[in-house]
């Protein structure tokens, strides 16, 4: 009879599940939990730094919530480093000329001469003249 000690000791009624229940989440819930774009999540997963997704059925892809939360806690514990900014000198579109690079600010009056051109501020606009 249920509630008796002998009933609880029967082998066909384990006190605990053999497989522990682990909560899984689908993509919509993942996006609410982790505020990153899907492509960023996929790239982090590909590098092995994020919870791997797996199929419950052929059309149902999920992730383990415990692993996702562990990743968030791990990122909270890591110290913040300075963000790496891209080197503008390596870009192909809108390249930066080395001769234009000045560390000090240029005031909006006068004439400025560089290696291969000069700049003059006349009538509220910059005039560029090759040398």
């Amino acid at each position: 009879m249920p509630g008796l000690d002998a009933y609880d000791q029967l082998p066909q009624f384990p006190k605990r599940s053999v497989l522990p229940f682990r909560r899984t989440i689908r993509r919509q819930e993942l996006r609410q939990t982790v505020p990153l774009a899907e492509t960023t999540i996929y790239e982090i997963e590909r590098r092995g730094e994020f919870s791997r997704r797996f199929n419950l059925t052929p059309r149902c892809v999920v992730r383990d919530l415990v692993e996702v939360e562990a990743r968030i806690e791990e990122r909270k514990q890591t110290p913040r480093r300075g963000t790496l900014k891209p080197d503008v000198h390596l870009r192909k579109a809108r390249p930066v000329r080395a001769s234009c690079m000045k560390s000090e600010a240029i005031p909006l009056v006068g004439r400025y001469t560089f290696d291969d051109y000069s700049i003059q501020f006349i009538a509220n606009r910059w005039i560029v003249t090759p040398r």
Side-chain angles (χ1 to χ4, degrees), residues 13-93:
F13 298 106
K15 293 182 181 181
R16 225 173 35 153
S17 174
V18 177
L19 297 175
F21 176 75
R22 296 190 70 158
R23 173 117 161 68
T24 58
I25 56 174
R26 296 182 79 174
R27 186 178 67 198
Q28 296 86 356
E29 194 172 350
L30 176 71
R31 291 291 311 273
Q32 293 173 353
T33 307
V34 181
L36 296 173
E38 289 181 27
T39 53
T40 305
I41 293 171
Y42 292 142
E43 288 177 14
I44 295 171
E45 177 189 2
R46 193 187 74 215
R47 291 193 309 249
E49 300 173 4
F50 200 74
S51 168
R52 304 251 339 144
R53 58 200 152 146
F54 57 94
N55 290 24
L56 283 180
T57 66
R59 295 184 59 173
C60 180
V61 178
V62 295
R63 293 178 192 266
D64 188 2
L65 180 62
V66 173
E67 292 178 13
V68 171
E69 289 174 343
R71 162 73 179 170
I72 293 171
E73 286 301 317
E74 174 189 328
R75 291 298 296 165
K76 281 183 185 178
Q77 301 303 322
T78 42
R80 279 186 119 170
R81 288 175 273 165
T83 58
L84 297 176
K85 297 181 181 175
D87 187 3
V88 294
H89 298 287
L90 300 177
R91 66 184 181 201
K92 294 185 170 71

Side-chain angles (χ1 to χ4, degrees), residues 91-109:
R91 66 184 181 201
K92 294 185 170 71
R94 300 184 307 120
V96 178
R97 295 184 186 160
S99 61
C100 287
M101 298 290 294
K102 294 275 185 185
S103 60
E104 68 274 355
I106 300 175
L108 293 178
V109 292

